[in-house]
Amino acid sequence: MTGLGAVAWPPVPIRTERLVLRESEARDRAGFIEMFASPEVRTYLGGPRPRDELERAVPEVPGRRPGLFVVELGGAMIGMVALDRRDAERPGHVRPEAGEAELGYTFLPDAWGHGYAAEACEAALAWFAGVSPGEPVVLCTQAANERSMRLAVKLGFTEVERFDEYGAEQWFGVVLDRGDRTFRTP
């Protein structure tokens, strides 16, 4: 993945009804390690990584880069949402020049089933529509990941194609700027 280009970063934290999307901070390190070590979270992402390896490898402020939002509920990190550029070498593109913005999300298991991922992704997509109007956003997830596919459809993504990558069938979709996404800033 490559950066978002000329997008000003970090933005003002984005506030939704229940969540805050903000830049990563040192206090998020334990949450990142928990996500990367979790067998449930990493089921469709190549499997969990050993916790001791993560303790050595994860930087003091993990995930601090343009396009990555930490999702916070009640002051605690519950997940992350990222918008990056899809690598041209990977399969799945909707523009001949490739490099589309790609949405990704990962949440801790305790946050599953409460609508937080949809709320956070909607806010990130609204932010992106504001800084890059009219630009399509793509999403790729394993076809076996039914929860992720349901979320993609709920967010308005339409299937473009399926292909094999990383030894599994992938679902690839696109959402166009609908112009109706809204979010609040403080």
Side-chain angles (χ1 to χ4, degrees):
M1 303 266 180
T2 58
L4 291 177
V7 172
W9 192 264
V12 173
I14 300 168
R15 298 185 187 282
T16 70
E17 185 177 324
R18 303 177 292 175
L19 308 171
V20 176
L21 281 70
R22 58 170 173 76
E23 185 176 35
S24 179
E25 299 172 357
R27 65 187 170 120
D28 302 317
R29 187 174 187 274
F32 274 89
I33 290 171
E34 185 62 33
M35 281 192 301
F36 296 141
S38 169
E40 296 87 6
V41 172
R42 302 284 301 171
T43 297
Y44 301 103
L45 299 171
R49 292 182 51 197
R51 188 173 295 279
D52 61 334
E53 174 188 305
L54 291 166
E55 290 288 350
R56 289 189 304 274
V58 173
E60 182 180 334
V61 181
R64 182 168 264 179
R65 62 178 172 75
L68 189 138
F69 292 97
V70 165
V71 180
E72 178 183 296
L73 173 68
M77 177 188 178
I78 62 167
M80 65 181 182
V81 174
L83 285 153
D84 291 295
R85 295 284 171 200
R86 187 163 177 84
D87 291 332
E89 300 79 34
R90 293 187 62 203
H93 294 283
V94 294
R95 300 188 310 193
E97 68 275 17
E100 301 90 341
E102 181 173 20
L103 178 70
Y105 39 83
T106 308
F107 285 80
L108 291 165
D110 287 348
W112 296 359
H114 302 284
Y116 300 136
E119 189 173 327
C121 288
E122 280 285 352
L125 288 168
W127 169 81
F128 188 74
V131 297
S132 297
E135 186 171 342
V137 178
V138 298
L139 183 149
C140 189
T141 187
Q142 275 193 28
N145 189 345
E146 294 176 8
R147 291 178 83 110
S148 185
M149 287 181 48
R150 282 194 307 270
L151 176 57
V153 170
K154 183 176 185 174
L155 293 169
F157 284 85
T158 301
E159 183 176 345
V160 174
E161 66 178 308
R162 293 185 186 212
F163 49 81
D164 285 336
E165 186 179 33
Y166 306 119
E169 182 184 35
Q170 305 294 319
W171 183 96
F172 180 77
V174 64
V175 66
L176 303 175
D177 177 11
R178 297 188 325 224
D180 64 349
R181 300 179 188 276
T182 59
F183 63 93
R184 299 182 295 125
T185 56

